């Protein structure tokens, strides 16, 4: 009788112990693979925003603003064109009261260069991107006789086409296709000018010359920078963008 009672008690203890063990968390076996929650694909806004942010930071890191500030604009204006004194001579020669100042204009500087907010558009087929790079600067024309003669606000857009390519080693890249200034995007406005002189005539003629000279000059400096920046982009970001472009997936939100 004692043995039967002891057996019943023992079975009861074993049942309680088993229940407690089942309630305890099971320790992880470090050798077993863990269940991995699939990473969420970046949203279109995140992907587009990451690209424009990386391009902006990259252009600034590559010295874009310093390059704009040191454009050889004065040298081009003095030596270009068919006029004997270059484009600048032809310009001032059209404004008769400024002719005596022709040889005295020694300073034409670009100040306050700016990189404004980049724009991003995806082609209708989804396989290409177009990045608009808006630039701003102040153009100062000075003479030793009268000091500041003109101060002009200048804005210009450069548009770069981005393509997804695969090299011989099957590695994917983003590269620049066409890169040019946006037609009609050059804007020039007078900020300040010396009152007694025929400033508007000078501004009109200078604007015509800058339309012929400045866009190509800026384009030649900015487009190589875009290529350099693309080569240094984060690999994960590049792969995500290239995958979207190859498959024609829309990730640029149309506003």
């Amino acid at each position: 009788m004692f043995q039967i009672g002891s057996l019943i008690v023992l079975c009861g203890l074993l049942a309680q112990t088993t229940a407690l063990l089942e309630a305890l968390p099971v320790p992880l076996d470090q050798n077993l693979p863990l269940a991995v929650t699939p990473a969420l694909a970046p949203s279109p806004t995140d992907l587009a925003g990451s690209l424009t942010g990386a391009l902006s930071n990259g252009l600034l890191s590559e010295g874009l603003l310093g390059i704009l500030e040191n454009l050889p604009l004065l040298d081009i204006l003095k030596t270009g064109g068919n006029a004997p004194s270059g484009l600048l001579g032809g310009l001032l020669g059209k404004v008769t009261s400024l002719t005596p100042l022709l040889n005295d204009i020694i300073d034409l500087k670009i100040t306050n260069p700016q990189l404004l907010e980049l724009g991003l558009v995806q082609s209708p087929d989804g396989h290409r991107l177009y990045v608009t790079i808006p630039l701003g600067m102040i153009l100062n024309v000075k003479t030793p006789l009268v000091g500041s003669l003109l101060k002009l606000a200048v804005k210009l857009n450069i548009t770069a086409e981005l393509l997804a390519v695969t090299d011989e080693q099957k590695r994917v890249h983003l590269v620049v296709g066409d890169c040019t200034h946006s037609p009609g995007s050059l804007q020039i406005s007078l900020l300040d000018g010396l009152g007694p002189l025929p400033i508007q005539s000078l501004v009109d003629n200078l604007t015509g010359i800058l339309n012929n000279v400045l866009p190509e000059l800026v384009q030649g400096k900015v487009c190589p920078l875009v290529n350099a920046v693309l080569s240094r982009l984060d690999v994960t970001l590049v792969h995500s963008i290239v995958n979207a472009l190859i498959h024609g997936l829309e990730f640029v939100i149309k506003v």
Side-chain angles (χ1 to χ4, degrees):
M1 187 69 181
F2 175 76
Q3 292 178 349
I4 294 175
S6 299
L7 182 60
I8 293 174
V9 172
L10 181 60
C11 290
L13 290 175
L14 287 175
Q16 290 180 0
T17 302
T18 302
L20 288 174
L21 288 175
E22 289 177 349
L24 291 176
V26 179
L28 293 176
D29 186 346
Q30 300 299 320
N31 296 320
L32 293 176
L34 298 178
V36 178
T37 302
L40 295 176
S43 70
T45 304
D46 290 343
L47 199 55
S50 296
L51 176 59
T52 54
L55 288 175
S56 293
N57 292 334
L59 288 170
L60 293 174
S61 298
E62 291 290 330
L64 171 64
L65 300 186
I67 290 173
L68 293 177
E69 201 166 17
N70 292 289
L71 289 173
L73 191 55
L74 180 59
D75 294 337
I76 293 175
L77 291 178
K78 281 185 173 181
T79 59
N82 297 320
S85 301
L87 290 172
L88 197 57
L91 164 66
L92 293 180
K94 295 178 182 179
V95 186
T96 55
S97 62
L98 291 182
T99 303
L101 297 176
L102 173 58
N103 296 321
D104 293 324
I105 292 187
I106 60 170
D107 194 13
L108 192 154
K109 284 188 176 179
I110 293 173
T111 60
N112 195 30
Q114 294 179 316
L115 173 63
L116 306 176
E117 185 177 355
L118 270 59
L120 188 65
V121 175
Q122 196 167 1
S123 64
D125 62 9
H127 296 305
R128 297 182 303 283
L129 295 173
Y130 297 95
V131 181
T132 301
I133 305 169
L135 306 169
M137 62 195 81
I138 304 298
L139 182 62
N140 297 274
V141 180
K142 296 181 180 180
T143 74
L145 295 180
V146 297
S148 179
L149 183 63
L150 284 179
K151 185 177 288 186
L152 302 173
V154 179
K155 291 184 178 180
L156 175 67
N157 292 343
I158 301 295
T159 300
E161 178 189 39
L162 305 187
L163 305 172
V165 298
T166 304
D167 61 20
E168 295 179 354
Q169 286 75 38
K170 304 302 180 182
R171 293 174 299 188
V172 292
H173 305 275
L174 275 178
V175 299
V176 176
D178 291 334
C179 184
T180 183
H181 57 275
S182 304
S185 69
L186 180 63
Q187 300 177 17
I188 301 175
S189 56
L190 178 65
L191 291 179
D192 191 19
L194 195 60
L197 297 175
I199 292 300
Q200 191 56 54
S201 179
L202 180 59
V203 170
D204 292 342
N205 285 285
L206 184 56
T207 298
I209 292 174
L210 291 175
N211 268 307
N212 293 328
V213 173
L214 192 58
E216 298 261 350
L217 181 61
V218 173
Q219 173 185 320
K221 300 293 184 180
V222 174
C223 292
L225 286 186
V226 178
N227 247 333
V229 171
L230 289 179
S231 67
R232 295 175 175 81
L233 286 182
D234 177 76
V235 174
T236 303
L237 175 62
V238 171
H239 280 202
S240 297
I241 293 172
V242 167
N243 181 66
L245 292 178
I246 289 176
H247 294 90
L249 303 177
E250 183 177 352
F251 66 91
V252 179
I253 302 299
K254 297 179 181 178
V255 180

PDB file of all heavy atoms in Angstrom, residues 209-232:
ATOM      1  N   ILE A 209      25.779  88.312 -73.989  1.00  0.00           N
ATOM      2  CA  ILE A 209      27.081  87.648 -74.044  1.00  0.00           C
ATOM      3  C   ILE A 209      27.128  86.466 -73.080  1.00  0.00           C
ATOM      4  O   ILE A 209      27.615  85.378 -73.419  1.00  0.00           O
ATOM      5  CB  ILE A 209      28.204  88.655 -73.726  1.00  0.00           C
ATOM      6  CG1 ILE A 209      28.312  89.680 -74.848  1.00  0.00           C
ATOM      7  CG2 ILE A 209      29.538  87.942 -73.525  1.00  0.00           C
ATOM      8  CD1 ILE A 209      29.279  90.799 -74.558  1.00  0.00           C
ATOM      9  N   LEU A 210      26.626  86.649 -71.862  1.00  0.00           N
ATOM     10  CA  LEU A 210      26.645  85.568 -70.873  1.00  0.00           C
ATOM     11  C   LEU A 210      25.809  84.386 -71.331  1.00  0.00           C
ATOM     12  O   LEU A 210      26.132  83.230 -71.032  1.00  0.00           O
ATOM     13  CB  LEU A 210      26.146  86.081 -69.526  1.00  0.00           C
ATOM     14  CG  LEU A 210      27.064  87.068 -68.807  1.00  0.00           C
ATOM     15  CD1 LEU A 210      26.402  87.592 -67.538  1.00  0.00           C
ATOM     16  CD2 LEU A 210      28.403  86.422 -68.474  1.00  0.00           C
ATOM     17  N   ASN A 211      24.726  84.651 -72.050  1.00  0.00           N
ATOM     18  CA  ASN A 211      23.911  83.557 -72.590  1.00  0.00           C
ATOM     19  C   ASN A 211      24.711  82.666 -73.525  1.00  0.00           C
ATOM     20  O   ASN A 211      24.463  81.456 -73.618  1.00  0.00           O
ATOM     21  CB  ASN A 211      22.696  84.129 -73.337  1.00  0.00           C
ATOM     22  CG  ASN A 211      21.480  84.276 -72.441  1.00  0.00           C
ATOM     23  OD1 ASN A 211      21.062  83.329 -71.786  1.00  0.00           O
ATOM     24  ND2 ASN A 211      20.924  85.469 -72.394  1.00  0.00           N
ATOM     25  N   ASN A 212      25.668  83.254 -74.230  1.00  0.00           N
ATOM     26  CA  ASN A 212      26.490  82.486 -75.165  1.00  0.00           C
ATOM     27  C   ASN A 212      27.673  81.804 -74.495  1.00  0.00           C
ATOM     28  O   ASN A 212      28.195  80.814 -75.010  1.00  0.00           O
ATOM     29  CB  ASN A 212      27.009  83.407 -76.278  1.00  0.00           C
ATOM     30  CG  ASN A 212      25.902  83.925 -77.168  1.00  0.00           C
ATOM     31  OD1 ASN A 212      24.905  83.248 -77.385  1.00  0.00           O
ATOM     32  ND2 ASN A 212      26.066  85.142 -77.676  1.00  0.00           N
ATOM     33  N   VAL A 213      28.107  82.341 -73.362  1.00  0.00           N
ATOM     34  CA  VAL A 213      29.354  81.881 -72.754  1.00  0.00           C
ATOM     35  C   VAL A 213      29.142  81.042 -71.498  1.00  0.00           C
ATOM     36  O   VAL A 213      29.730  79.966 -71.343  1.00  0.00           O
ATOM     37  CB  VAL A 213      30.259  83.099 -72.423  1.00  0.00           C
ATOM     38  CG1 VAL A 213      31.491  82.655 -71.643  1.00  0.00           C
ATOM     39  CG2 VAL A 213      30.661  83.829 -73.688  1.00  0.00           C
ATOM     40  N   LEU A 214      28.310  81.545 -70.583  1.00  0.00           N
ATOM     41  CA  LEU A 214      28.242  80.961 -69.241  1.00  0.00           C
ATOM     42  C   LEU A 214      27.703  79.528 -69.195  1.00  0.00           C
ATOM     43  O   LEU A 214      28.279  78.684 -68.496  1.00  0.00           O
ATOM     44  CB  LEU A 214      27.418  81.878 -68.333  1.00  0.00           C
ATOM     45  CG  LEU A 214      27.472  81.571 -66.840  1.00  0.00           C
ATOM     46  CD1 LEU A 214      28.901  81.627 -66.324  1.00  0.00           C
ATOM     47  CD2 LEU A 214      26.591  82.551 -66.063  1.00  0.00           C
ATOM     48  N   PRO A 215      26.586  79.202 -69.880  1.00  0.00           N
ATOM     49  CA  PRO A 215      26.062  77.831 -69.763  1.00  0.00           C
ATOM     50  C   PRO A 215      27.080  76.758 -70.143  1.00  0.00           C
ATOM     51  O   PRO A 215      27.234  75.766 -69.425  1.00  0.00           O
ATOM     52  CB  PRO A 215      24.862  77.835 -70.724  1.00  0.00           C
ATOM     53  CG  PRO A 215      24.414  79.255 -70.755  1.00  0.00           C
ATOM     54  CD  PRO A 215      25.683  80.055 -70.695  1.00  0.00           C
ATOM     55  N   GLU A 216      27.780  76.928 -71.263  1.00  0.00           N
ATOM     56  CA  GLU A 216      28.767  75.918 -71.685  1.00  0.00           C
ATOM     57  C   GLU A 216      29.930  75.854 -70.701  1.00  0.00           C
ATOM     58  O   GLU A 216      30.464  74.773 -70.423  1.00  0.00           O
ATOM     59  CB  GLU A 216      29.290  76.279 -73.080  1.00  0.00           C
ATOM     60  CG  GLU A 216      28.218  76.283 -74.156  1.00  0.00           C
ATOM     61  CD  GLU A 216      28.210  75.003 -74.969  1.00  0.00           C
ATOM     62  OE1 GLU A 216      29.154  74.210 -74.821  1.00  0.00           O
ATOM     63  OE2 GLU A 216      27.256  74.814 -75.737  1.00  0.00           O
ATOM     64  N   LEU A 217      30.313  77.019 -70.168  1.00  0.00           N
ATOM     65  CA  LEU A 217      31.417  77.055 -69.218  1.00  0.00           C
ATOM     66  C   LEU A 217      31.072  76.288 -67.945  1.00  0.00           C
ATOM     67  O   LEU A 217      31.871  75.469 -67.463  1.00  0.00           O
ATOM     68  CB  LEU A 217      31.760  78.517 -68.896  1.00  0.00           C
ATOM     69  CG  LEU A 217      32.917  78.765 -67.935  1.00  0.00           C
ATOM     70  CD1 LEU A 217      34.213  78.198 -68.490  1.00  0.00           C
ATOM     71  CD2 LEU A 217      33.065  80.261 -67.658  1.00  0.00           C
ATOM     72  N   VAL A 218      29.884  76.534 -67.410  1.00  0.00           N
ATOM     73  CA  VAL A 218      29.459  75.850 -66.186  1.00  0.00           C
ATOM     74  C   VAL A 218      29.249  74.365 -66.449  1.00  0.00           C
ATOM     75  O   VAL A 218      29.657  73.508 -65.647  1.00  0.00           O
ATOM     76  CB  VAL A 218      28.163  76.494 -65.646  1.00  0.00           C
ATOM     77  CG1 VAL A 218      27.622  75.695 -64.469  1.00  0.00           C
ATOM     78  CG2 VAL A 218      28.423  77.938 -65.230  1.00  0.00           C
ATOM     79  N   GLN A 219      28.631  74.044 -67.568  1.00  0.00           N
ATOM     80  CA  GLN A 219      28.390  72.635 -67.923  1.00  0.00           C
ATOM     81  C   GLN A 219      29.690  71.844 -67.972  1.00  0.00           C
ATOM     82  O   GLN A 219      29.756  70.713 -67.482  1.00  0.00           O
ATOM     83  CB  GLN A 219      27.696  72.585 -69.281  1.00  0.00           C
ATOM     84  CG  GLN A 219      27.526  71.208 -69.879  1.00  0.00           C
ATOM     85  CD  GLN A 219      26.943  71.286 -71.282  1.00  0.00           C
ATOM     86  OE1 GLN A 219      26.047  72.087 -71.550  1.00  0.00           O
ATOM     87  NE2 GLN A 219      27.451  70.481 -72.189  1.00  0.00           N
ATOM     88  N   GLY A 220      30.724  72.442 -68.555  1.00  0.00           N
ATOM     89  CA  GLY A 220      32.006  71.746 -68.667  1.00  0.00           C
ATOM     90  C   GLY A 220      32.664  71.466 -67.334  1.00  0.00           C
ATOM     91  O   GLY A 220      33.509  70.565 -67.228  1.00  0.00           O
ATOM     92  N   LYS A 221      32.282  72.223 -66.308  1.00  0.00           N
ATOM     93  CA  LYS A 221      32.851  72.014 -64.975  1.00  0.00           C
ATOM     94  C   LYS A 221      32.001  71.080 -64.117  1.00  0.00           C
ATOM     95  O   LYS A 221      32.525  70.277 -63.334  1.00  0.00           O
ATOM     96  CB  LYS A 221      32.994  73.362 -64.254  1.00  0.00           C
ATOM     97  CG  LYS A 221      33.902  74.369 -64.955  1.00  0.00           C
ATOM     98  CD  LYS A 221      35.347  73.922 -64.951  1.00  0.00           C
ATOM     99  CE  LYS A 221      36.242  74.993 -65.558  1.00  0.00           C
ATOM    100  NZ  LYS A 221      37.669  74.585 -65.560  1.00  0.00           N
ATOM    101  N   VAL A 222      30.672  71.169 -64.263  1.00  0.00           N
ATOM    102  CA  VAL A 222      29.777  70.437 -63.366  1.00  0.00           C
ATOM    103  C   VAL A 222      29.596  68.978 -63.783  1.00  0.00           C
ATOM    104  O   VAL A 222      29.601  68.072 -62.933  1.00  0.00           O
ATOM    105  CB  VAL A 222      28.401  71.141 -63.291  1.00  0.00           C
ATOM    106  CG1 VAL A 222      27.409  70.310 -62.486  1.00  0.00           C
ATOM    107  CG2 VAL A 222      28.551  72.524 -62.670  1.00  0.00           C
ATOM    108  N   CYS A 223      29.452  68.724 -65.073  1.00  0.00           N
ATOM    109  CA  CYS A 223      29.153  67.353 -65.525  1.00  0.00           C
ATOM    110  C   CYS A 223      30.222  66.333 -65.109  1.00  0.00           C
ATOM    111  O   CYS A 223      29.865  65.228 -64.660  1.00  0.00           O
ATOM    112  CB  CYS A 223      28.942  67.338 -67.040  1.00  0.00           C
ATOM    113  SG  CYS A 223      27.426  68.212 -67.544  1.00  0.00           S
ATOM    114  N   PRO A 224      31.520  66.635 -65.224  1.00  0.00           N
ATOM    115  CA  PRO A 224      32.509  65.674 -64.728  1.00  0.00           C
ATOM    116  C   PRO A 224      32.387  65.412 -63.230  1.00  0.00           C
ATOM    117  O   PRO A 224      32.678  64.306 -62.763  1.00  0.00           O
ATOM    118  CB  PRO A 224      33.850  66.346 -65.069  1.00  0.00           C
ATOM    119  CG  PRO A 224      33.546  67.259 -66.212  1.00  0.00           C
ATOM    120  CD  PRO A 224      32.161  67.764 -65.933  1.00  0.00           C
ATOM    121  N   LEU A 225      31.945  66.417 -62.474  1.00  0.00           N
ATOM    122  CA  LEU A 225      31.766  66.215 -61.032  1.00  0.00           C
ATOM    123  C   LEU A 225      30.662  65.205 -60.755  1.00  0.00           C
ATOM    124  O   LEU A 225      30.768  64.404 -59.826  1.00  0.00           O
ATOM    125  CB  LEU A 225      31.423  67.541 -60.352  1.00  0.00           C
ATOM    126  CG  LEU A 225      32.531  68.571 -60.173  1.00  0.00           C
ATOM    127  CD1 LEU A 225      32.021  69.739 -59.346  1.00  0.00           C
ATOM    128  CD2 LEU A 225      33.755  67.967 -59.507  1.00  0.00           C
ATOM    129  N   VAL A 226      29.596  65.243 -61.556  1.00  0.00           N
ATOM    130  CA  VAL A 226      28.484  64.305 -61.351  1.00  0.00           C
ATOM    131  C   VAL A 226      28.985  62.868 -61.531  1.00  0.00           C
ATOM    132  O   VAL A 226      28.657  61.974 -60.742  1.00  0.00           O
ATOM    133  CB  VAL A 226      27.324  64.597 -62.322  1.00  0.00           C
ATOM    134  CG1 VAL A 226      26.189  63.587 -62.128  1.00  0.00           C
ATOM    135  CG2 VAL A 226      26.805  66.016 -62.124  1.00  0.00           C
ATOM    136  N   ASN A 227      29.786  62.638 -62.551  1.00  0.00           N
ATOM    137  CA  ASN A 227      30.350  61.311 -62.765  1.00  0.00           C
ATOM    138  C   ASN A 227      31.201  60.875 -61.582  1.00  0.00           C
ATOM    139  O   ASN A 227      31.153  59.717 -61.138  1.00  0.00           O
ATOM    140  CB  ASN A 227      31.199  61.300 -64.047  1.00  0.00           C
ATOM    141  CG  ASN A 227      30.581  60.429 -65.127  1.00  0.00           C
ATOM    142  OD1 ASN A 227      29.858  59.477 -64.848  1.00  0.00           O
ATOM    143  ND2 ASN A 227      30.855  60.754 -66.374  1.00  0.00           N
ATOM    144  N   ALA A 228      32.007  61.794 -61.063  1.00  0.00           N
ATOM    145  CA  ALA A 228      32.865  61.475 -59.924  1.00  0.00           C
ATOM    146  C   ALA A 228      32.035  61.127 -58.695  1.00  0.00           C
ATOM    147  O   ALA A 228      32.361  60.184 -57.954  1.00  0.00           O
ATOM    148  CB  ALA A 228      33.794  62.651 -59.621  1.00  0.00           C
ATOM    149  N   VAL A 229      30.962  61.859 -58.477  1.00  0.00           N
ATOM    150  CA  VAL A 229      30.102  61.598 -57.319  1.00  0.00           C
ATOM    151  C   VAL A 229      29.418  60.241 -57.453  1.00  0.00           C
ATOM    152  O   VAL A 229      29.329  59.478 -56.478  1.00  0.00           O
ATOM    153  CB  VAL A 229      29.053  62.720 -57.163  1.00  0.00           C
ATOM    154  CG1 VAL A 229      28.023  62.358 -56.096  1.00  0.00           C
ATOM    155  CG2 VAL A 229      29.733  64.037 -56.803  1.00  0.00           C
ATOM    156  N   LEU A 230      28.933  59.902 -58.640  1.00  0.00           N
ATOM    157  CA  LEU A 230      28.262  58.615 -58.853  1.00  0.00           C
ATOM    158  C   LEU A 230      29.188  57.447 -58.525  1.00  0.00           C
ATOM    159  O   LEU A 230      28.744  56.418 -57.990  1.00  0.00           O
ATOM    160  CB  LEU A 230      27.778  58.503 -60.294  1.00  0.00           C
ATOM    161  CG  LEU A 230      26.589  59.376 -60.707  1.00  0.00           C
ATOM    162  CD1 LEU A 230      26.249  59.150 -62.174  1.00  0.00           C
ATOM    163  CD2 LEU A 230      25.374  59.109 -59.836  1.00  0.00           C
ATOM    164  N   SER A 231      30.457  57.587 -58.828  1.00  0.00           N
ATOM    165  CA  SER A 231      31.411  56.495 -58.592  1.00  0.00           C
ATOM    166  C   SER A 231      31.661  56.268 -57.107  1.00  0.00           C
ATOM    167  O   SER A 231      32.216  55.238 -56.721  1.00  0.00           O
ATOM    168  CB  SER A 231      32.739  56.788 -59.302  1.00  0.00           C
ATOM    169  OG  SER A 231      33.386  57.897 -58.712  1.00  0.00           O
ATOM    170  N   ARG A 232      31.250  57.211 -56.264  1.00  0.00           N
ATOM    171  CA  ARG A 232      31.489  57.105 -54.826  1.00  0.00           C
ATOM    172  C   ARG A 232      30.214  56.907 -54.014  1.00  0.00           C
ATOM    173  O   ARG A 232      30.247  56.955 -52.792  1.00  0.00           O
ATOM    174  CB  ARG A 232      32.218  58.363 -54.325  1.00  0.00           C
ATOM    175  CG  ARG A 232      33.623  58.516 -54.894  1.00  0.00           C
ATOM    176  CD  ARG A 232      34.244  59.844 -54.452  1.00  0.00           C
ATOM    177  NE  ARG A 232      35.624  59.984 -54.867  1.00  0.00           N
ATOM    178  CZ  ARG A 232      36.021  60.359 -56.061  1.00  0.00           C
ATOM    179  NH1 ARG A 232      35.116  60.642 -56.983  1.00  0.00           N
ATOM    180  NH2 ARG A 232      37.306  60.464 -56.365  1.00  0.00           N
TER     181      ARG A 232
END
